[in-house]
Amino acid sequence: MKKGILFILMLVLSVNLFAGKNYYKAELLLKSGDVKQGYANWVAGNNDEFVYYKGAKKEKAQKIEAVKIDKIIFDFDGDKVELKQLKVYKGWSQKKIKGPIWLETVQEGIVTLFVVTSELQGGKDFGGFRGSATFHDYYCIREGEPAAKWISAVSTGNNNQMFRAKAPLYFADYPELAKKIKDKEYRWKDLTTVIDLYNNWASDKL
């Protein structure tokens, strides 16, 4: 994975860090074609009906229906984080659909890669666990698909287990790539490389 992406994920995309109605510099691109520049609350991973927006920091927040927004681009001192709202397949079986939820765009193309990052803080409610754990759930979608597929889950456990099981299914139309994932030639850390390889292969088929 690209170091810049991991840095942004760890520094920015933490549920605890951005909980509540804190506002961050953002550009909202509406489906109508209008663009709003100002400040918005952090929404990654949630499915709230509204996004709260301010044209200036001291203004009163206004509610904008999430379904009217195409994307939100947050700007953290020059580090841009783009969020889009998509439906996703849920659970290991990947049969039922939930959402839509806000996902961060990692890599765009014929297949676009998204991520949702969350953080768990330890305490008495978690068996006495102290400290924190960060989780990254990666999703892929092609144009025309009803929802994004969950292809990789990264935390402190066996990070390659889900990628090895689910990614070959998603990329089954490219058998050579699917086999290399099954054979561990490509692992979860190679996600962006895998997306590049697939998109280059698929573009040649157009």
Side-chain angles (χ1 to χ4, degrees), residues 167-195:
L169 299 176
Y170 191 77
F171 299 113
D173 55 330
Y174 185 1
E176 293 86 352
L177 180 60
K179 184 177 187 303
K180 288 180 178 180
I181 296 170
K182 289 180 181 178
D183 293 342
K184 299 183 180 180
E185 185 171 340
Y186 293 117
R187 304 174 70 90
W188 74 268
K189 290 183 178 180
D190 304 307
L191 252 174
T192 55
T193 298
V194 167
I195 299 297

Side-chain angles (χ1 to χ4, degrees), residues 91-143:
W92 185 263
S93 65
Q94 295 286 274
K95 293 179 180 179
K96 295 183 178 180
I97 292 175
K98 69 176 183 179
I101 63 174
W102 289 98
L103 307 173
E104 185 205 350
T105 305
V106 177
Q107 195 168 350
E108 293 184 291
I110 293 174
V111 165
T112 297
L113 177 67
F114 296 92
V115 68
V116 172
T117 300
S118 57
E119 185 174 285
L120 173 67
Q121 291 289 344
K124 63 180 181 179
D125 293 333
F126 299 97
F129 168 74
R130 300 293 176 181
S132 63
T134 303
F135 303 87
H136 308 292
D137 293 310
Y138 291 91
Y139 295 86
C140 281
I141 193 169
R142 302 177 183 88
E143 185 176 354

Side-chain angles (χ1 to χ4, degrees), residues 4-21:
I5 292 173
L6 286 178
F7 175 78
I8 294 173
L9 290 174
M10 295 300 294
L11 180 63
V12 176
L13 303 183
S14 163
V15 168
N16 287 320
L17 183 58
F18 294 106
K21 294 293 186 293

